[in-house]
Amino acid sequence: MADEKAPTRNAFGEPWPDFNDGLTYTDIVPPTSTTATVQNSPKKCPRIRACSLIEFYSSKYSNSAPLEGWLQRIRNGQITVDGQVVTDPDTTLRVGSVLLYSRLPWKEPYAPYLLEVLYEDDDMVAINKPSGLQVLPGGLFQQRTVLTQLRWLAEKSSALRFSGIAAAQESHPVPVHRLGRGTSGILLCAKTKLARARLAAYFADGTAVVRENRISDVELGTTRRISKIYRALATGIIDEDEVVVKQAIGMMRYPGVANGLYVASSSGKPAFSKVRVLERDVQGNCTLVQVVSSIYHMRSVSLVEIQSGRPHQIRIHLSFLGHPLLGDPLYGIDGQPKVAESGCGDDSFAPDGGYQRPTKPVPGDCGYHLHAHHLVLSHPTKNEVIEITAPLPTMLRAQNETE
């Protein structure tokens, strides 16, 4: 195994502006088909029906805003049809017309902006993502993301090149996997197309189907190309030194989460976790564990082996054991949300016309303690193995550990 490259410990990041730039969404009006019965025939034929501006947006983007919100946006002049501002919601649309909706700039919730570089070469860069920073745009966070800071860094480097000053970074790195907004630690970003494709394949391989009656890849002698070791703090005292969880993970409808919420489900996809305890804090009523995703050969490490890498798997499986992550606002016991029904504060809509933020917890909420601590991978272009470590937060260190 090659020696770990010494972390550069340099950091980058620009402070966030008070308001983002807003967003622009473009649509082309498609044919709107209804059906009509052909005379003397049981068959039906398509018929083009006229569609109004409010019908189009309130039906196609019902997850973005309620009907009253879309009415506000239209009357506010935020939508153009073929380049002309239209404020009448009952305007009839023509097939092929170009619609443009401009979401007004808004002040995004607080998020840290400084990113520490743990490892960098010509193909990739590993950064230490702080808790509270989203990786990719989504929901309220469209600008305050890791991706934005990477883009700003690339633009700054490009400006330096054109001014005749050598740039430290020639390309625009992009994340090749995600970490939850509340999860901290190592985030891999690719700097070339080849590295991006190969690293993405490594992570995809980590979601291979779990065989219910088989043991972990470590014991089967199978080697994967990437291994992520997490550190987590669970509520309560886990009595066993090692616990195996074979609980499938599926989805349920959950208001406030458009695509549904991942939960423990007998009808979901197989998932396998092996929990090994590092330290028990009886006085604090919590247990320190480590977590591994996509196995290398690490027989002697005290950890949780995450075989399949399902979304929120660590949070769900520890919750299923009855020991959810300390401070997790969403998952309670049995791998289910603490509150089954999640709604908005009231029936009104937000100032931008969209829905009010749900009053109950959603996946992006922070507060839990989960850290991507150590990563081992086969380099995407070189014949060597790379190890990268992100310093542990104080809450996730054992008593005999130092920074």
Side-chain angles (χ1 to χ4, degrees), residues 63 251-254 256-262:
N63 287 332
M251 299 187 74
M252 63 174 284
R253 293 178 61 86
Y254 188 82
V257 183
N259 297 322
L261 178 67
Y262 288 96

Side-chain angles (χ1 to χ4, degrees), residues 47-156:
R47 178 175 64 187
I48 303 303
R49 180 179 65 85
C51 176
S52 70
L53 187 62
I54 185 61
E55 286 177 322
F56 179 87
Y57 278 104
S58 63
S59 60
K60 184 173 182 180
Y61 297 108
S62 59
N63 287 332
S64 171
L67 175 66
E68 295 79 4
W70 279 115
L71 287 171
Q72 172 183 290
R73 290 169 171 179
I74 293 170
R75 291 165 178 159
N76 198 37
Q78 293 176 241
I79 295 175
T80 65
V81 179
D82 295 326
Q84 300 296 317
V85 175
V86 175
T87 57
D88 181 2
D90 295 320
T91 299
T92 300
L93 300 177
R94 294 184 300 105
V95 173
S97 286
V98 178
L99 307 182
L100 190 148
Y101 159 58
S102 297
R103 184 176 178 180
L104 300 176
W106 71 95
K107 187 171 185 177
E108 299 182 13
Y110 168 81
Y113 66 88
L114 282 177
L115 298 169
E116 179 187 10
V117 176
L118 300 171
Y119 174 94
E120 184 172 13
D121 60 26
D122 293 337
D123 296 292
M124 62 185 187
V125 57
I127 61 176
N128 189 9
K129 186 190 85 68
S131 175
L133 179 61
Q134 193 154 301
V135 175
L136 300 177
L140 292 175
F141 294 93
Q142 293 294 325
Q143 183 182 65
R144 297 184 177 189
T145 66
V146 172
L147 186 62
T148 298
Q149 289 293 349
L150 292 172
R151 176 172 57 83
W152 286 350
L153 179 64
E155 292 171 354
K156 183 178 180 180

